[in-house]
């Protein structure tokens, strides 16, 4: 029973690790998407939207950098 419990805990840790990895990939994809949008000619035509996207990008970049 102890070995089964240990195996279960190890599997749980691995699943959680994969969750973190996938979330990092999702965050990086969003960063890339925002950067692509920011190069568009009319990006600053809506300053509120532009600032919001850049703030989102900064937060995501900070989080990804930590890992």
């Amino acid at each position: 029973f102890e070995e089964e419990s240990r195996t279960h805990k190890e599997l749980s840790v691995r699943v959680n690790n994969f969750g973190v990895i996938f979330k990092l990939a999702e965050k990086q994809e969003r960063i890339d998407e925002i950067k692509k949008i920011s190069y568009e000619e009319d990006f600053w035509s809506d300053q509120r939207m532009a600032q919001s996207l850049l703030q989102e990008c900064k937060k995501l970049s900070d989080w990804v950098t930590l890992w």
Side-chain angles (χ1 to χ4, degrees), residues 24 27-28 31 58-67:
L24 282 175
K27 286 174 176 45
Q28 186 60 55
I31 291 167
K58 171 80 169 98
K59 287 178 184 179
L60 291 170
S61 293
D62 288 349
W63 199 92
V64 168
T65 301
L66 287 173
W67 297 100

Side-chain angles (χ1 to χ4, degrees), residues 2-13:
E2 288 179 37
E3 187 171 333
E4 291 175 352
S5 179
R6 184 170 42 91
T7 301
H8 176 69
K9 287 179 185 178
E10 290 173 0
L11 288 174
S12 292
V13 168

